[in-house]
């Protein structure tokens, strides 16, 4: 926590107290119905709220016991400390003392000795609180007391009432719980007494020499002492100081001069202790290290301290101060030198405001010494306008007779609200905020600047009679716009009290739900347009013309000149049933108008309907500023019904909370995909969402709960391990600071988080500790595990990757840049030769970025020729890659690379081994086989490290192998991985029977699996291989195996059954009965075998799919049993696989299924279009289908590869509009960027080639166009898989006539780069 604004102190005489208890300085003050206990400017020890919600009136703390007494109008609460020995100091309620109902509201509290508590109001009552709250003395008063204070030895009580010019002096006559008596005398004053204070004794002798200070309305300070101990009255007037004469104006005719005077005393004990420490520190430093000005100030201070005087300080509002020393107070004969002037100086600056309220003009001062060696002198200034100022100073500077530029330094300012904070709104830059309570009181705050540790400075207070529904800050909080139920008001918040300077009533249908500022031109910063929108989707625009932004030109007596007027009305042309509409969280700079209103314009508002439809909006006034045009920039169907909360950021991220307030989703409005989903517990209800962004537009989201805030940060997209796109990086729990729930929170522009809870504001700075549990679980580079701020952390988690990061290398290989991946490993090998822990490693490894963005030439054989651009790699890479890989892995196991986390370093070692393995077979495989083999090998390594992980390779790897022309080699290599004993679990692991395209080879491999399943146990059970042999239609082989299974008790019955002819109906029925019986026994695989025995392939496939939940086995059985053209397989693909792909958004599975069905045009289109839109009976997909994981950037590689492979795919490409392909490429580039692979994004937009679009429809006599004409590079390798064309007569009749193509010209390369931000 950086700082705290504990709340607005009450404008009461006893609202603040302080003492030093057991070596700990405690400051206690009351705010609303809360009690604030602090030990330093930024250390809030405890907040105690009273359940009766009665505002507290007075508070006092006992120096001896540490007990705190706080009074309201109905009762007095006594709290006792506990837990100090354990370092967990808190206070708990000891007792409650009720106040008589007939007594007035005002009350005075004072602690005596032995835990006696004096309560003064309509009477003086004394309680003994050591054990219970026993009343030991009571005396009714003729006039209610306003001030009542015990002397330091508790033998005297001084009390006075409001507007009373008599001070009653009560003297204790007897002690004891059973017999406590006081008598009293009067101390007369010429005018009303405003303050009284006892002198704190310096020595034991002084404890019996009572000295009382009193201040009257005549601006005179009087000193009362017991000059004659034998005189009955006890105290006599010893001296007086005229405060008005002590401080005089320095100018003859000042324009503004205040007559107010303030005084406080520095006890000789504090003065002597602080002076001794100061002089000792100066002596240790040496006179040679002090300038003449400092030496003179120290000499002056030493001269003052010789007689250990009491110090009386008198000051005014203009920074003038007069200090007086008091010696021999109480002597019978006062000498003229007993009161002497110490200093008469200027620049004693305190935070006085030009308040218009008479009560708020008052200020009380509480001075004390910190009690530590060389600690500064502390002055607490309680301003009755709702502030407590903690000021520090050095006594030698305070009393230095020579001019000083600044004598005091403000350490902190305690202020805030006296009621619970309901809403906090920030300006666009975050440099100003406004906080608001339920009673329509608001405070504007400005963010601290320079070396200030204040965090926030209170600027203005706003009190409105109408209910404030929404607020908007203008010009960094200098002006405020408030939305009410039927009007909009404008307030000038530059003076300390905000002034209403504009008001526009309105009458629109529905209730107002949103207040937002329209984008404005940069040339006109003074004219602002504010829109309010109602629940019925209509609203009005108000035009505001602001005055000059100068505080000097505005005060409470002379309001600013401004104008606010109604401009026009509007309506939103949509049919949404809007649940709520909110302004976009600015989290950045102000929004300016662009040259045109389009989807590239900045969003200003977001709406959410009851059925979960999100829309973002922008708007602009027309040329003559008489009407406003609204434009929907994006629309996303979330499917979340009745959402409870939403928040959108200016970088087009939207967070949405479900109806239960426990589920959170984060959506990318630009792409329409959702990035993150999390479900919190039932007891953790989400009540607030706040966005912030780093300087490089990385997003942060603060999720608010009743007593904590969780901060989520963007992570890189991870398509290899399906990592989360967002992660919690910090949890802020306020339960230790306050029991009150959080009202609202917001981000400041500096990255600090402002939280309002109760009447307090907490500011948590942006620094984070990497040792925290949330951060330690993240993949942070080794050298980054240290203290950092949130912005740096997000940049690390979501910034560009170094070339040697395993994710970048993986994406290079997927993008067909295998040679570049090898080059990275060689460069890393050379870089690590002389590397030691802690060294910085170049992210580019001294490689040129051009090798990733210059497209390689393609030879006729289809192999890539890199030599023309990169030189002879063989000459540069002299060592064998296998040797390099072994050396690299050895170094990676010993070193800690500064740019990689430990987990990433382990993944890099695995990647090095995989690349080395694949390189051995590279020359005999095509690119797709290379991709498959590398990631299959990586999968097997990871599986060996985590044996319980039974996941198979993903459908992405299966599709690569399916489209490979080197399947024979892949089959051989994958079989070797399992030592030639591939079981079904192994075949499923590698997806073998999904990607093998040769049905004969497929059946041969399936028979190998059948043999291995039979031989996998020592007993060789034929049940294990029954499904496989029956799928191969080799019943006789299975029968022979049963003949050898004499140990199996089912041998005889099974052998007899298999000996029959299952072409006959009776034996089919018998097989089916056995199959159903086995289903009842949950022997699903054996049941599927008997379904095959009965010739019922469909039921066998259903058992594999539904009961065994094994899609690969269902596909394999169908393919082996009836081939790729079988009806069961096609039905499985059509009714099961494709709907599953559409529901889950799995484009890899969809393109495989379409290709298997022979619908190659749809196989290509499924890579771009949502899968559910390509089905005959589309169903609304699950939320998973809209996840970012459904948009793998490797899809663009496959799309480019398949687009020109066959005539069918070219036909499918022709049905993809140019805009769809453009959006697909740009979206993929954004995905690369979000993954940290910026170079691959640049390569994509730089080298992408669009198909040639026909500029006109061919004449009818030409016949259908040749799809190969769309290729920019003509190839003879395009497979003709189309059916014969229709007859010319059919074409003339319009049958099969191709639709006219829209004219589209390929964009320039620079256009692509500009769109992506390069």
């Amino acid at each position: 926590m950086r700082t705290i604004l504990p709340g607005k102190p009450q404008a009461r005489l006893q609202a603040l107290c302080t003492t030093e208890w057991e070596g700990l300085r405690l400051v206690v003050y009351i705010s609303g119905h809360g009690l604030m206990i602090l030990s330093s400017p930024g250390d809030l020890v405890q907040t105690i709220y009273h359940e009766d919600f009665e505002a507290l009136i007075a508070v006092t703390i006992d120096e001896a016991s540490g007990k705190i007494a706080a009074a309201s109008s109905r009762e007095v609460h006594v709290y006792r400390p506990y837990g100090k020995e354990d370092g967990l100091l808190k206070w708990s309620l000891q007792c409650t003392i009720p106040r008589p109902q007939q007594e007035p509201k005002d009350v005075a509290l004072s602690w005596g000795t032995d835990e006696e508590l004096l309560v003064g109001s309509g009477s003086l009552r004394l309680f003994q609180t050591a054990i219970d709250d026993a009343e030991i003395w009571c005396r009714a008063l003729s006039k209610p007391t306003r001030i009542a204070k015990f002397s330091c030895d508790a033998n005297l009580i001084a009390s006075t009432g409001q507007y009373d010019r008599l001070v009653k002096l009560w003297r204790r006559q007897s002690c004891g719980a059973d017999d406590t008596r006081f008598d009293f005398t009067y101390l007369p004053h010429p005018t009303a007494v405003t303050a009284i204070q006892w002198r704190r004794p310096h020595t034991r002798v002084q404890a019996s020499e009572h000295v009382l200070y009193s201040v009257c309305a005549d601006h005179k300070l009087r000193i009362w002492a017991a000059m004659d101990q034998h005189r009955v009255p006890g105290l006599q007037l010893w001296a007086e100081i005229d405060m008005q004469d002590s401080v005089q104006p320095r100018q003859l005719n000042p324009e503004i001069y205040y007559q107010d005077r303030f005084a406080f005393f520095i006890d000789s004990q504090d003065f002597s202790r602080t002076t001794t420490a100061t002089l000792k520190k100066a002596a240790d430093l040496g006179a040679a290290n002090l300038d003449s000005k400092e030496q003179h100030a120290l000499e002056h201070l030493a001269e003052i301290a010789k007689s250990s005087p009491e110090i009386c300080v008198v000051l005014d509002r203009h920074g003038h101060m007069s200090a007086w020393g008091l010696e021999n107070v109480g002597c019978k004969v006062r000498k003229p030198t007993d009161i002497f002037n110490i200093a008469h100086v200027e620049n004693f600056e305190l935070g006085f405001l030009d308040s218009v309220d008479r009560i708020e003009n008052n200020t009380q001062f509480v001075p004390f010494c910190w009690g530590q060696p060389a600690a500064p002198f502390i002055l607490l200034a309680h301003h009755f306008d709702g502030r407590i100022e903690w000021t520090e100073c050095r006594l030698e500077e305070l009393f230095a007779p020579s001019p000083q530029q600044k004598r005091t330094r403000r350490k902190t300012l305690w202020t805030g609200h006296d009621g619970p904070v309901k809403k906090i709104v920030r300006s666009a830059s975050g440099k100003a905020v406004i906080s608001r309570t339920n009673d329509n009181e608001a405070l504007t705050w400005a963010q601290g600047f320079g070396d200030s540790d204040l965090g926030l400075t209170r600027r203005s207070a706003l009190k409105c009679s109408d209910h404030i529904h929404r607020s908007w800050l203008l010009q960094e909080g200098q002006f405020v716009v408030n939305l009410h139920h039927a009007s909009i008001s404008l307030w000038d918040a530059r003076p300390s009290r905000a002034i209403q300077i504009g008001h526009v009533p309105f009458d629109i249908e529905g209730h107002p739900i949103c207040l937002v500022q329209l984008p404005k031109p940069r040339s006109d910063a003074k004219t602002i347009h504010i829109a309010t929108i109602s629940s019925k989707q209509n609203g009005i625009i108000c035009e505001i013309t602001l005055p000059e932004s100068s505080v000097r030109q505005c005060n409470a007596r002379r309001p600013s000149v401004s104008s606010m007027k109604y401009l026009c009305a509007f309506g939103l042309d949509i049919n949404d049933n809007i649940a709520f509409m909110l302004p976009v969280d600015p989290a950045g700079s102000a929004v300016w108008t662009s040259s045109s209103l389009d989807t590239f314009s900045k969003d200003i508002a977001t709406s959410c309907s009851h059925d979960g439809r999100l829309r973002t909006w922008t708007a602009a006034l027309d040329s003559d500023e008489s009407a406003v045009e609204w434009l929907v920039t994006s629309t996303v169907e979330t499917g979340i019904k009745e959402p409870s909360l939403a928040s959108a950021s200016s970088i087009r991220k939207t967070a949405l909370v479900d109806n239960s307030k426990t589920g959170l989703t984060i959506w990318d409005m630009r792409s329409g995909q959702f990035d993150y989903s999390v479900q919190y517990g039932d007891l953790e209800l989400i009540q607030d969402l706040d966005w912030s962004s780093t300087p490089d537009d990385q997003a942060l989201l603060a999720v608010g709960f009743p007593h904590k805030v969780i901060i989520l940060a963007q992570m890189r997209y991870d398509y290899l391990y399906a990592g989360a796109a967002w992660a919690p990086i910090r949890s802020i729990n306020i339960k230790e600071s306050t029991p009150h729930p959080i009202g609202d929170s917001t981000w400041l522009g500096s990255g600090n988080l402002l939280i309002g809870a109760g009447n307090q504001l907490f500011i948590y700075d942006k620094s984070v500790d990497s040792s925290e549990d949330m951060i330690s679980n993240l993949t942070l580079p080794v050298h980054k595990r240290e203290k950092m701020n949130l912005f740096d952390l997000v940049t690390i988690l979501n910034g560009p990757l170094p070339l040697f990061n395993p994710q970048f290398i993986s994406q290079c290989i997927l993008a067909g840049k295998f040679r570049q991946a090898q080059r990275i490993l060689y460069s890393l090998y050379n870089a690590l030769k002389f590397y030691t822990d802690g060294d910085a490693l170049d992210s580019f490894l001294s490689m040129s970025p051009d090798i990733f963005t210059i497209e390689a030439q393609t030879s006729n054989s289809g192999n890539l020729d890199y030599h023309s651009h990169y030189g002879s790699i063989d000459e540069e890479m002299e060592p064998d890659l296998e040797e390099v890989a072994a050396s690299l892995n050895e170094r990676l196991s010993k070193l800690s690379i500064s740019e990689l986390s430990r987990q990433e370093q382990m993944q890099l070692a695995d990647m090095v081994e995989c690349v080395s393995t694949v390189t051995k077979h590279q020359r005999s495989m095509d690119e797709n086989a290379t991709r498959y083999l590398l990631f299959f090998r990586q999968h097997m390594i990871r599986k060996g490290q985590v044996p319980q992980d039974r996941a198979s390779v993903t459908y992405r790897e299966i599709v690569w192998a399916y489209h490979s022309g080197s399947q024979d080699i892949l089959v051989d290599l994958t079989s070797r991985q399992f030592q030639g004993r591939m079981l079904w679990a192994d075949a499923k692991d590698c997806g073998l029977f999904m990607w093998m395209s040769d049905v004969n080879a497929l059946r041969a491999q399936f028979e190998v699996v059948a043999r291995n399943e039979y031989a996998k146990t020592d007993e060789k059970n034929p049940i294990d291989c029954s499904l496989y042999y029956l799928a191969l239609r080799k019943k006789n082989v299975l029968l022979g195996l049963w003949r050898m299974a004499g140990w199996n008790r089912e041998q005889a019955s099974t052998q007899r059954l298999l000996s029959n002819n299952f072409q006959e109906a009776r034996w089919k029925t018998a097989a089916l009965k056995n199959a159903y019986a086995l289903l009842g026994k949950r022997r699903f695989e054996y049941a599927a075998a008997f379904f095959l025995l009965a010739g019922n392939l469909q039921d066998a496939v259903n058992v594999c799919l539904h009961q065994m939940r094994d899609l690969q086995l269902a596909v394999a059985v169908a393919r082996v049993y009836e081939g790729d053209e079988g009806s069961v397989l096609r039905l499985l693909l059509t009714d099961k696989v494709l709907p599953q792909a559409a529901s889950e958004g799995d484009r890899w599975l969809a393109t495989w299924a379409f290709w298997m069905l022979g619908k190659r045009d749809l196989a290509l289109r499924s890579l771009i279009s949502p899968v559910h839109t390509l089905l005959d009976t589309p169903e609304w997909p699950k939320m998973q289908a809209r996840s970012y994981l459904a948009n793998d950037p490797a899809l663009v590689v496959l799309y480019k590869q398949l687009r020109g492979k066959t005539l069918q795919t070219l036909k499918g490409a022709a049905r993809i509009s140019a805009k769809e392909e453009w959006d697909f490429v740009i979206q993929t580039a954004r995905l690369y960027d979000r993954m940290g692979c910026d170079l691959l994004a640049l390569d994509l937009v730089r080298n992408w080639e669009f198909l040639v679009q026909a500029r006109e429809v061919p004449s009818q006599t030409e016949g259908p166009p040749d799809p190969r004409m769309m290729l920019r590079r003509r190839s003879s390798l395009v497979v003709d898989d189309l059916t014969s064309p229709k007859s010319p007569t059919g074409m003339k009749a319009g049958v099969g006539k191709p639709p006219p193509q829209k004219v589209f010209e390929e964009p320039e390369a620079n256009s692509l780069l500009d769109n992506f931000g390069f």
Side-chain angles (χ1 to χ4, degrees), residues 110 389 502 512 1015:
S110 182
E389 195 175 5

Side-chain angles (χ1 to χ4, degrees), residues 271 275 278-279 297-305 395-396 399:
F271 181 73
T275 301
T278 300
L279 295 176
L298 288 170
E299 292 171 359
H300 180 63
L301 183 64
E303 185 66 26
I304 298 171
L395 289 182
E396 69 272 22
F399 299 134

Side-chain angles (χ1 to χ4, degrees), residues 1012-1306:
N1012 293 334
E1013 286 286 342
Y1014 172 70
K1016 68 181 179 182
T1017 59
D1018 293 337
E1019 57 188 14
K1020 297 183 178 179
N1021 192 347
I1023 295 177
D1024 295 336
C1025 62
S1026 296
L1027 175 64
Y1028 306 97
Y1029 277 115
L1030 291 176
L1032 290 164
R1033 301 176 184 265
K1034 295 188 177 184
K1035 185 193 71 170
N1036 293 332
V1037 175
L1038 181 61
L1039 179 61
L1041 297 178
W1042 272 107
R1043 289 171 181 161
M1044 294 184 288
W1047 55 270
N1048 195 317
R1049 63 181 183 179
E1050 299 178 3
Q1051 180 196 27
S1053 58
T1054 305
Q1055 189 174 347
R1056 284 196 304 272
L1057 181 64
L1058 291 177
S1059 301
N1060 297 301
N1061 182 10
F1062 286 91
Q1063 300 298 323
E1064 299 179 8
R1066 58 174 295 201
W1067 297 116
K1068 286 186 179 182
T1069 304
L1072 288 175
K1073 289 181 179 179
N1074 279 278
Y1076 288 118
L1078 290 169
L1079 283 178
K1081 297 178 181 180
R1082 303 189 64 81
R1083 297 174 65 181
F1084 299 130
E1085 182 178 329
Y1086 204 26
F1090 272 89
F1091 277 123
L1092 290 178
L1093 187 62
N1096 198 335
L1097 174 62
Q1098 184 64 63
D1099 287 341
V1101 168
N1102 289 339
V1103 170
C1104 295
L1105 189 64
H1106 299 297
Q1107 276 71 34
M1108 299 179 67
R1109 299 183 183 278
D1110 193 339
L1111 174 62
Q1112 288 199 38
L1113 182 60
V1115 171
V1117 169
R1119 295 184 70 188
V1120 170
Y1121 193 85
E1122 61 177 5
D1124 287 351
E1125 300 300 325
S1127 59
V1128 174
L1129 176 63
R1130 299 185 69 83
L1131 188 64
L1132 172 66
L1133 296 176
T1134 304
D1135 292 352
K1136 302 296 182 182
V1137 176
L1138 284 175
Q1140 176 184 334
S1143 177
E1144 298 175 357
D1146 194 334
R1147 299 177 187 273
W1148 297 102
L1149 180 60
T1151 188
W1152 172 85
F1154 278 128
W1155 200 280
M1156 286 287 295
L1157 290 169
K1159 299 178 180 180
R1160 298 180 178 181
D1161 54 338
L1162 294 179
L1164 184 77
R1165 291 173 58 193
S1166 65
L1167 300 176
I1168 292 184
S1169 304
V1171 180
H1172 70 275
T1173 62
L1174 304 178
L1175 303 182
D1176 295 334
T1177 56
E1179 297 181 1
W1180 189 253
K1182 298 179 182 177
M1183 188 175 293
Q1184 178 185 352
R1186 286 166 283 171
S1187 169
Y1188 79 94
L1189 293 172
N1191 298 314
D1192 193 331
L1195 290 168
V1196 77
V1197 180
L1198 182 63
Y1199 173 80
K1200 187 175 182 179
Q1201 182 183 118
L1202 297 184
R1203 185 176 61 179
K1205 190 170 185 178
T1206 72
L1207 293 182
Q1208 269 201 58
T1209 57
L1210 279 173
K1211 182 181 177 182
R1215 299 189 63 180
I1216 298 173
S1217 68
K1219 183 181 184 303
E1220 284 182 302
E1221 186 171 347
W1222 168 279
D1223 292 340
F1224 177 56
V1225 173
I1226 296 302
Q1227 173 63 11
T1228 304
R1230 291 195 185 104
L1231 295 178
Y1232 274 132
D1233 178 62
R1234 182 70 187 275
M1235 293 173 66
C1237 304
D1238 301 64
L1239 287 176
L1240 299 182
L1242 180 60
D1243 169 64
L1244 178 64
V1245 298
R1246 179 175 181 175
N1247 297 318
W1248 185 261
E1249 288 185 354
F1250 290 90
L1251 293 178
V1252 177
Q1253 300 291 325
R1255 295 183 176 272
E1256 59 182 12
V1257 179
S1259 62
Q1260 296 179 351
T1261 58
E1262 294 177 354
D1266 186 353
R1268 286 174 292 190
M1269 299 297 293
M1270 296 190 303
L1271 293 174
R1272 293 185 180 274
R1273 302 182 186 183
R1274 304 298 167 81
S1275 173
S1276 59
L1277 301 178
V1278 179
V1279 178
D1280 185 358
D1281 55 354
L1282 290 175
T1283 57
S1284 57
K1286 297 182 181 294
S1287 63
T1289 57
M1291 291 296 293
K1292 290 180 182 179
V1295 180
K1297 187 175 181 180
Q1301 299 290 336
K1302 294 183 179 180
V1303 177
F1304 177 78
E1305 296 185 12
E1306 181 186 359

Side-chain angles (χ1 to χ4, degrees), residues 95 272 361 368 401 446 453 480 499 521 588 673 686 757 809 832 916 1133:
C95 62
S272 299
N361 271 332
F368 63 88
D453 291 328
V480 180
I499 310 163
Q673 65 190 21
I686 303 172
I809 297 175
L832 293 182
S916 173
L1133 296 176

Side-chain angles (χ1 to χ4, degrees), residues 279-293:
L279 295 176
K280 183 178 182 303
K281 182 180 179 182
D284 295 340
L285 189 62
N289 296 319
L290 301 173
D291 57 25
S292 59
K293 196 173 181 180

Side-chain angles (χ1 to χ4, degrees), residues 856-874:
Q857 296 176 357
T858 305
S859 62
N860 293 332
S861 61
N863 295 322
L864 296 181
D865 180 12
Y866 290 88
H867 299 279
S868 59
H869 289 292
Y870 313 132
S872 177
I873 296 181
D874 295 336

